[in-house]
């Protein structure tokens, strides 16, 4: 059996499994998926908000975008700290699908931009609430579960703000 562990390590490295699977003792697939999806989601929120700051003069939208940058930057830092304890690193960029949506959003102007940004934020925060609720209720890693639970009131407030945002 002495030679079995190195062989498994080599096999894991060859299959590309060394990152999130081998480096995350005490976590489940739920936890690892949460870290990845929450990282992408937060980065997408920040990227869309930065875009909004350049695309509109609508004061409601500008205030919302500034709040998204501030709150999601803080949430990302907390997620990163909680994930680090398990050898996980949340992505700092939106997923490729989110990047494509952000690019498409950036091509819009005026009311079309405002309407799409508002709808995007409602959808993104609805999804984020579901993601963070699932981790809060089913996550194995206490630090991640706690971070998810603490973020939920902020995300719910963001959803209400997005729904109330004028266009």
């Amino acid at each position: 059996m002495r030679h079995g562990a190195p062989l498994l390590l080599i096999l894991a490295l060859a299959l590309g499994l060394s990152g999130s699977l081998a480096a995350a003792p005490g976590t489940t697939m739920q936890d690892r998926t949460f870290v990845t999806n929450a990282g992408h989601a937060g980065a997408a929120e920040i990227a869309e908000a930065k875009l909004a700051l350049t695309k509109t003069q609508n004061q409601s939208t500008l205030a919302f975008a500034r709040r998204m940058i501030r709150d999601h930057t803080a949430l990302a830092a907390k997620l990163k700290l909680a994930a680090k304890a398990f050898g996980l690193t949340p992505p700092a960029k939106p997923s490729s699908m989110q990047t494509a949506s952000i690019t498409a959003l950036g091509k819009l102007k005026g009311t079309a931009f405002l309407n799409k940004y508002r709808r995007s934020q409602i959808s993104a925060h609805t999804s984020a609430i579901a993601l963070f609720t699932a981790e809060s209720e089913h996550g194995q890693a206490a630090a991640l579960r706690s971070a998810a639970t603490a973020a939920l009131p902020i995300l719910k407030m963001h959803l209400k703000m997005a729904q109330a945002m004028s266009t």
Side-chain angles (χ1 to χ4, degrees):
M1 288 308 264
R2 190 173 180 193
H3 299 292
L7 182 57
L8 287 176
L9 179 59
I10 290 168
L11 182 58
L13 289 172
L15 294 173
L17 300 176
S18 62
S20 64
L21 295 180
T27 64
T28 62
M29 185 59 77
Q30 161 74 34
D31 296 320
R32 294 185 297 276
T33 300
F34 167 73
V35 168
T36 298
N37 291 343
H40 283 310
E45 293 296 327
I46 293 168
E48 278 196 5
K50 287 180 177 178
L51 180 62
L53 293 178
T54 68
K55 297 289 289 184
T56 186
Q57 297 299 312
N58 179 294
Q59 293 304 308
S60 171
T61 303
L62 292 171
F64 178 81
R66 286 187 203 100
R67 181 71 179 260
M68 293 307 99
I69 293 168
R70 185 185 77 208
D71 288 357
H72 283 282
T73 298
L75 290 172
K78 290 175 184 175
L79 176 64
K80 186 175 181 180
L81 184 63
K84 184 177 180 180
F86 300 98
L88 299 171
T89 303
K93 295 182 179 180
S95 70
S96 57
M97 197 161 111
Q98 291 163 328
T99 299
S101 292
I102 294 165
T103 300
L105 178 65
K107 294 178 181 177
L108 300 176
K109 296 179 182 178
T111 304
F113 173 84
L114 292 173
N115 287 331
K116 179 67 175 168
Y117 179 59
R118 181 177 180 272
R119 285 192 314 272
S120 174
Q121 290 302 300
I122 291 169
S123 175
H125 283 93
T126 300
S127 296
I129 290 166
L131 174 68
F132 280 69
T133 298
E135 180 64 19
S136 176
E137 294 174 355
H138 305 292
Q140 175 69 33
L144 294 173
R145 199 171 54 248
S146 177
T149 301
L152 278 168
I154 296 165
L155 296 171
K156 289 176 181 178
M157 177 188 58
H158 289 173
L159 177 58
K160 287 180 182 178
M161 291 171 68
Q163 290 167 333
M165 193 176 6
S166 65
T167 54

